[in-house]
């Protein structure tokens, strides 16, 4: 009986981490003394790091203060995959604006920047502030929901209610 040992290396991919494991099968094929095919195989499974799906949302506004009715506030939202597995089908929602952004996928450390505007209303000035939240919701490789949100506050000009009567 003869034995041959073969050693090789494999570089782990993001797809392996997303799957949570690496399945590997080695097969040896040869011929016996009568020229018949002889085959043997064995497999091994290696578990990768534990999946840690995370999204981070950072929202900023420009300007952040003294806005008046009819003025435009520009919001910038940066979504980051701060976990170690791919997050897919990420959809964005905003508490004030309907977003038309299509769903997207982020690999770990990947980012997506979304910029949009909002027009200040009289109700905003009456309230004195504009509270606005952006939420990103996606799916990890096992289709579990991953979500994150952030908000930005913009102050308006000071409301100045005054009535005059002329008779």
């Amino acid at each position: 009986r003869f034995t041959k040992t073969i050693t090789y290396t494999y570089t782990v991919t993001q797809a392996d981490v997303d799957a949570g494991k690496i399945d590997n099968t080695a097969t040896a094929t040869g011929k016996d003394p009568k020229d018949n095919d002889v085959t043997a195989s064995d497999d091994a499974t290696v578990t990768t790091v534990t999946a840690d799906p995370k999204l981070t949302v950072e929202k900023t506004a420009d300007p952040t203060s003294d806005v008046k009715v009819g003025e435009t506030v520009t919001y910038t939202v940066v979504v980051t995959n701060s976990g170690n597995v791919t997050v897919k089908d990420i959809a964005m929602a905003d508490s004030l604006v309907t977003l038309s952004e299509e769903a997207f996928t982020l690999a770990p450390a990947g980012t997506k920047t979304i910029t949009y505007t909002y027009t200040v209303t009289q109700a905003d000035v009456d309230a004195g502030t504009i509270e606005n939240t952006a939420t990103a919701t996606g799916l990890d490789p096992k289709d579990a929901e991953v979500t994150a949100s952030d908000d930005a506050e913009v102050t308006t000009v000071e409301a100045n209610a005054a009535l005059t009567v002329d008779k």
Side-chain angles (χ1 to χ4, degrees), residues 1 11 14 29 65 70 72 81 95 112 116-119 124 129 138 152 163:
R1 183 174 192 161
T11 302
Q14 185 60 53
T29 304
S65 62
T72 300
N81 181 338
S95 61
K112 171 108 175 153
Y116 52 95
T117 60
Y118 173 75
T119 303
D124 297 326
T129 61
L163 293 175

Side-chain angles (χ1 to χ4, degrees), residues 12-74:
V12 178
T13 67
Q14 185 60 53
D16 298 327
V17 176
D18 289 350
K21 63 182 179 175
I22 303 165
D23 290 321
N24 182 255
T25 301
T27 303
T29 304
K31 301 274 186 185
D32 69 10
K34 294 183 180 182
D35 209 28
N36 295 314
D37 289 335
V38 178
T39 302
S41 61
D42 194 15
D43 57 13
T45 298
V46 176
T47 303
T48 63
V49 296
T50 301
D52 185 23
K54 280 188 195 153
L55 291 175
T56 304
V57 174
E58 183 179 336
K59 182 172 190 167
T60 58
D62 182 34
T64 59
S65 62
D66 296 324
V67 295
K68 300 177 187 98
V69 173
E71 290 185 337
T72 300
V73 177
T74 301

Side-chain angles (χ1 to χ4, degrees), residues 7-158:
T7 303
Y8 57 94
T9 60
Y10 172 78
T11 302
V12 178
T13 67
Q14 185 60 53
D16 298 327
V17 176
D18 289 350
K21 63 182 179 175
I22 303 165
D23 290 321
N24 182 255
T25 301
T27 303
T29 304
K31 301 274 186 185
D32 69 10
K34 294 183 180 182
D35 209 28
N36 295 314
D37 289 335
V38 178
T39 302
S41 61
D42 194 15
D43 57 13
T45 298
V46 176
T47 303
T48 63
V49 296
T50 301
D52 185 23
K54 280 188 195 153
L55 291 175
T56 304
V57 174
E58 183 179 336
K59 182 172 190 167
T60 58
D62 182 34
T64 59
S65 62
D66 296 324
V67 295
K68 300 177 187 98
V69 173
E71 290 185 337
T72 300
V73 177
T74 301
Y75 291 104
T76 303
V77 178
V78 179
V79 181
T80 302
N81 181 338
S82 50
N84 66 356
V85 293
T86 301
V87 179
K88 63 184 178 182
D89 298 331
I90 301 168
M92 295 300 302
D94 186 272
S95 61
L96 291 178
V97 177
T98 300
L99 300 177
S100 60
E101 188 68 32
E102 291 187 25
F104 55 95
T105 298
L106 289 176
T111 63
K112 171 108 175 153
T113 301
I114 301 158
T115 302
Y116 52 95
T117 60
Y118 173 75
T119 303
V120 179
T121 67
Q122 184 62 52
D124 297 326
V125 174
D126 292 348
T129 61
I130 304 168
E131 296 285 338
N132 186 249
T133 302
T135 303
T137 304
L139 299 172
D140 73 6
K142 295 185 179 187
D143 290 334
E145 191 173 277
V146 182
T147 189
S149 61
D150 191 25
D151 54 19
E153 183 177 304
V154 175
T155 57
T156 64
V157 293
E158 187 174 323

